[in-house]
Amino acid sequence: MKKVAIILSGCGVYDGSEIHEAVLTFLALTQQGASYRCFAPNIDQHHVINHVNGEVSEETRNVLVESSRLCRGDVEDIIELREQDFDALIVPGGFGAAKNLSNFAIDSDNYKVNEQVLNAAKAFAKAEKPSGYMCIAPALLPLIYPEGVKGTIGTDNATAALITAKGLTHVNCDVDNVVIDFKNKIVTTPAYMLASNINEANNGITQLVKSVLALT
């Protein structure tokens, strides 16, 4: 049985992990006969968004605690993530990837990846183990892998330009497809950067999961 680590960034598209993307990843891995464990940084969210009206809420929430909502409480602090215990890594999207795992949404010209997340992801890269990144999460790739790493966030040229400035080789991709960087063993898919419904997101995410497992 293949073992996959999943890094979450909270719970909710506007300030955490995109819920559909995370759950579809869980489902696809299970359907492919793989096991998974979830991890998240034990830090405060950048902010909390009221998902009814889109406004910032004056409260503080913890990324690890919020991520636990997605996996029925079965989540671990990312400092406990050991690459040697897994065959692959997958990072769902949602604004949490750009606000909590990194600060891409806040400072796209000079953004950085959270140190704990960076260390965990680089461990998989150094061990040449495959990884999957979806939605906006591929923004992390040029800060983890060498310049020229290949990936996609879909067809948003303006957003792609911000990431290519950091060293990503961006490839336009339809919602139901994936981009595979065979050299670095990375699979990316647009997911809700393009998806208009959950089925469209599912098609690309299922392909991503299958492709990541095939690279192990």
Side-chain angles (χ1 to χ4, degrees), residues 105-142:
I106 294 90
D107 187 3
S108 56
D109 291 328
N110 301 289
Y111 71 97
K112 297 180 180 179
V113 178
N114 170 277
E115 186 176 357
Q116 294 175 353
V117 175
L118 185 64
N119 290 339
K122 279 191 169 184
F124 281 85
K126 183 177 180 180
E128 299 183 346
K129 293 186 176 181
S131 297
Y133 290 74
M134 62 189 72
C135 192
I136 195 60
L140 281 60
L141 292 176

Side-chain angles (χ1 to χ4, degrees), residues 49 65 90 104 112 120 150 178 180 190 198 209:
I49 298 294
V65 173
I90 293 180
F104 177 74
K112 297 180 180 179
K150 186 166 66 173
V178 298
I180 303 177
I198 193 170
V209 168

Side-chain angles (χ1 to χ4, degrees), residues 143-208:
L143 303 184
I144 298 167
Y145 292 85
E147 185 172 358
V149 57
K150 186 166 66 173
T152 189
I153 50 90
T155 58
D156 184 334
N157 291 331
T159 301
L162 296 171
I163 308 171
T164 57
K166 289 290 188 179
L168 179 77
T169 298
H170 185 264
V171 180
N172 282 352
C173 180
D174 294 331
V175 66
D176 57 354
N177 210 341
V178 298
V179 169
I180 303 177
D181 181 334
F182 288 99
K183 179 181 178 181
N184 292 298
K185 295 186 177 180
I186 301 167
V187 186
T188 51
T189 192
Y192 273 101
M193 289 293 289
L194 288 178
S196 60
N197 58 59
I198 193 170
N199 189 57
E200 288 184 354
N202 181 57
N203 291 336
I205 290 169
T206 298
Q207 278 206 57
L208 179 143

